[in-house]
Amino acid sequence: MEVLLYHSAPSPVRLRLAEKKTSSQSLLPSAGEKTQVLFSLSSSSSSSVYSRKHYLVNNTYQQDVAGSLNSIRSHRVSPIRAFNESFSGTVLGGEQSLEDVSDSADSVPKVQIPGLPDESKGESSAPISSCYWEWKPKLNVHYAKAGSQNVNSPPLLFLPGFGVGSFHYEKQLKDLGRDYRVWALDFLGQGKSLPVEDPAPLLKEASPSEQKDKAWGFGEKAEPWAEKLVYSVDLWKDQVQYFIEQVIGEPVYVVGNSLGGYVATYFAASNPELVKGVTLLNATPFWGFLPNSSKSPLLAKMFPWAGTFPLPPNVTKFMDIVWQKMSDPETIAELLRQVYADHTTDVNKVFSKIVEVTEHPAAAAAFASIMCAPTGQFSFNESLSRCRESNVPVCLMYGKEDPWVKPIWGQQVKKQLPDAPYYEMSPAGHCPHDEVPEVVNYLLRGWIKSLESNSSVTLPLLNDAEAQAKKYDLTKDVEFVREGSEKLVRVRFFGSQFSLWKLLKSQIKVRLQKVGMNPR
């Protein structure tokens, strides 16, 4: 496989020359893989200072998805395999399978659910509006919204994971926006919520060419509006609070993926009166490395820099190296391959949006600030405990094949919140809302209906009899149609008496059955 990569303008941190990367002989395409794809990304304006990147890719990942990011195949990706005969999708190879946590395929009941609105068949989806809200001077927050006409419906707010933005929730906005009022937020320092001015510019005596090639935030002195700016979970928690108070104007259901799940929990623990419920989608259980100054003032003094502007010279040199690697489209493509379990999922748009964000002149310094920002005042476990004490409803939806936030993390949350419904989906990775949006949207609708009805409506995937016995766990195959093809996702519901020991016993039992033993 040969990949041609070249740049027509300087990168945000360092001018990089055109480069040609040729793989080893072992990566040559097989005889059956002959498709050639031209994959091109560029900024919207021809006069933009951002770099343009073009890819010429041989040896497509999947021949019937021409032009897809899936065609950028890496030799490090494991061979694809199906979970079992009843599953129509595919997932990366690994040790776990559906049988590890469930009954055999012929004993699992199937449930039909609606697919996403198919606009090609005349099915209408909710239109999405792109908006900006000025929270503070020079700090404009981007957000997307849908369903404004649903005035009497519950409001939903989606919080993104690290490195993405509101664009990652397009499938929720278009679908759930038909029934609810839906917002998706870009955290400050991410997505389209990056500053429109340099928070720490070069000194005025710097030459125009130096100012042009320099990324924002790497100057000698911070602007007054950016002197205390740190892209931390405390900043994002406050951002969510004021957004709900000033833009939405009433308590909401908050849904967060990965970093967004952490912030959602932290926010709910701090402002339970503004929250109707929290849904965690593979929430990261920790964030930040440096101590919080208000929580550990003595320890925090040992670290003279904690994400503020301008960046110190030693951090600037280090970030020059790190950012070149992290912003490289090949790195971004590899990360997406890791976190999506089903590689038939089209992630072209997500890939393009992420690359576009990395080309913003403020992106490198924002990344450095995020990575060096202090922890929040509450840990993830402390936030969960406060949510429980405040009776904030929590629902857990986790992709089972997540290589980062593995199922054990979701199960630990379930152990701490035994009454929270917990749905484990397979195949699904770190971003189930984008990979299996049909299932996530169905579960969200059902959970909200159950809460809004004071539990007179049973939880999704449970019938009346199962609802009476919901302290136990059950497994169902959820079937839906996507682009004319039937898809199947296995969902396991864990009840209030869930225990890690029982789960381990069931896994051992299944494995023993596979090798011919019949344990009791």
Side-chain angles (χ1 to χ4, degrees):
M1 181 174 70
E2 181 178 74
V3 179
L4 301 181
L5 170 61
Y6 56 93
H7 301 265
S8 62
S11 68
V13 181
R14 184 190 296 272
L15 181 66
R16 288 182 283 180
L17 299 177
E19 58 183 338
K20 177 177 179 180
K21 299 184 180 180
T22 306
S23 60
S24 64
Q25 186 69 23
S26 63
L27 297 182
L28 292 176
S30 64
E33 297 175 314
K34 301 178 181 179
T35 306
Q36 186 180 74
V37 179
L38 178 62
F39 189 74
S40 175
L41 295 174
S42 66
S43 58
S44 58
S45 172
S46 60
S47 62
S48 171
V49 298
Y50 307 156
S51 61
R52 299 178 181 178
K53 305 180 180 70
H54 301 269
Y55 298 86
L56 180 63
V57 182
N58 294 323
N59 183 19
T60 58
Y61 187 83
Q62 186 176 347
Q63 296 183 26
D64 60 341
V65 191
S68 168
L69 170 64
N70 299 328
S71 62
I72 304 178
R73 186 176 185 177
S74 169
H75 67 286
R76 295 186 297 274
V77 177
S78 305
I80 292 179
R81 68 174 176 85
F83 265 108
N84 54 45
E85 294 179 358
S86 68
F87 171 55
S88 60
T90 53
V91 68
L92 286 179
E95 291 301 318
Q96 292 179 311
S97 68
L98 286 175
E99 292 87 356
D100 292 340
V101 295
S102 184
D103 300 326
S104 60
D106 56 0
S107 66
V108 176
K110 286 186 179 181
V111 177
Q112 298 280 345
I113 67 171
L116 298 179
D118 190 342
E119 296 178 357
S120 66
K121 295 183 178 180
E123 299 174 1
S124 61
S125 60
I128 301 174
S129 300
S130 178
C131 311
Y132 282 91
W133 161 63
E134 187 181 58
W135 176 26
K136 296 179 180 180
K138 310 296 184 180
L139 294 180
N140 292 331
V141 174
H142 175 265
Y143 65 96
K145 67 176 181 179
S148 299
Q149 72 281 2
N150 303 319
V151 293
N152 295 319
S153 66
L156 281 66
L157 175 61
F158 289 87
L159 305 180
F162 174 63
V164 292
S166 55
F167 60 82
H168 213 198
Y169 288 114
E170 180 178 309
K171 296 169 184 176
Q172 282 65 48
L173 290 160
K174 286 186 173 181
D175 183 15
L176 297 175
R178 299 183 298 171
D179 304 311
Y180 304 102
R181 290 169 293 150
V182 185
W183 289 263
L185 198 62
D186 288 19
F187 287 139
L188 284 168
Q190 298 194 165
K192 293 183 178 180
S193 291
L194 287 164
V196 296
E197 295 182 14
D198 192 338
L202 291 173
L203 296 177
K204 292 183 179 180
E205 54 266 25
S207 67
S209 60
E210 288 179 319
Q211 293 184 11
K212 181 179 178 181
D213 294 339
K214 188 84 171 178
W216 290 3
F218 292 90
E220 291 79 10
K221 184 179 180 181
E223 292 290 318
W225 61 270
E227 287 180 347
K228 296 182 179 180
L229 177 63
V230 182
Y231 295 119
S232 66
V233 289
D234 279 316
L235 176 73
W236 298 326
K237 179 203 64 170
D238 293 342
Q239 176 187 345
V240 173
Q241 175 189 340
Y242 284 97
F243 183 82
I244 293 174
E245 292 176 343
Q246 298 180 17
V247 178
I248 300 178
E250 61 182 290
V252 300
Y253 288 98
V254 185
V255 185
N257 169 237
S258 189
L259 166 62
Y262 185 102
V263 176
T265 309
Y266 185 22
F267 164 74
S270 306
N271 305 274
E273 72 283 357
L274 295 177
V275 179
K276 294 170 70 70
V278 175
T279 299
L280 302 182
L281 303 169
N282 291 69
T284 180
F286 41 79
W287 190 261
F289 302 100
L290 301 185
N292 187 286
S293 59
S294 61
K295 189 175 182 179
S296 306
L298 296 179
L299 188 60
K301 289 182 179 180
M302 299 174 61
F303 301 89
W305 185 74
T308 55
F309 292 90
L311 276 64
N314 59 334
V315 174
T316 300
K317 293 178 181 179
F318 177 72
M319 283 306 305
D320 188 6
I321 300 172
V322 174
W323 181 246
Q324 286 194 52
K325 176 63 176 177
M326 293 302 300
S327 62
D328 191 316
E330 290 188 57
T331 301
I332 296 170
E334 177 61 28
L335 291 174
L336 289 176
R337 280 192 292 268
Q338 290 179 22
V339 299
Y340 281 76
D342 183 356
H343 281 197
T344 65
T345 305
D346 183 3
V347 293
N348 277 343
K349 186 175 293 187
V350 172
F351 174 76
S352 300
K353 292 290 187 181
I354 295 174
V355 172
E356 181 182 340
V357 172
T358 64
E359 294 175 336
H360 192 286
F367 175 79
S369 177
I370 291 171
M371 290 293 96
C372 298
T375 60
Q377 296 184 37
F378 304 152
S379 69
F380 187 62
N381 287 338
E382 289 172 334
S383 294
L384 290 173
S385 297
R386 286 174 176 265
C387 286
R388 184 177 182 181
E389 293 169 1
S390 301
N391 295 317
V392 175
V394 177
C395 183
L396 311 173
M397 301 181 193
Y398 280 66
K400 179 177 176 291
E401 284 74 41
D402 187 344
W404 296 348
V405 184
K406 292 181 178 293
I408 187 66
W409 293 109
Q411 293 157 9
Q412 290 286 358
V413 177
K414 172 62 178 174
K415 183 178 180 181
Q416 192 169 349
L417 303 176
D419 292 329
Y422 175 45
Y423 296 90
E424 191 172 273
M425 297 161 279
S426 181
H430 188 61
C431 310
H433 60 286
D434 192 46
E435 196 168 3
V436 286
E438 298 87 351
V439 180
V440 169
N441 293 358
Y442 175 82
L443 295 177
L444 268 174
R445 279 189 172 97
W447 181 63
I448 291 173
K449 287 178 181 178
S450 180
L451 287 180
E452 293 290 312
S453 69
N454 294 319
S455 299
S456 63
V457 175
T458 58
L459 289 169
L461 297 185
L462 304 183
N463 57 37
D464 291 338
E466 292 166 340
Q468 294 296 323
K470 66 181 181 181
K471 61 183 179 180
Y472 305 109
D473 63 273
L474 57 88
T475 302
K476 292 189 177 181
D477 283 338
V478 177
E479 193 173 46
F480 52 90
V481 175
R482 180 189 296 174
E483 298 178 349
S485 301
E486 291 184 347
K487 302 283 288 185
L488 198 69
V489 174
R490 183 156 291 182
V491 181
R492 188 169 188 181
F493 171 84
F494 293 96
S496 59
Q497 290 191 4
F498 161 80
S499 73
L500 291 175
W501 171 240
K502 289 182 180 179
L503 177 62
L504 180 61
K505 286 175 61 178
S506 69
Q507 292 177 342
I508 294 174
K509 179 179 178 180
V510 169
R511 292 187 181 277
L512 290 176
Q513 289 173 340
K514 285 183 179 181
V515 297
M517 301 180 66
N518 188 25
R520 295 183 178 180

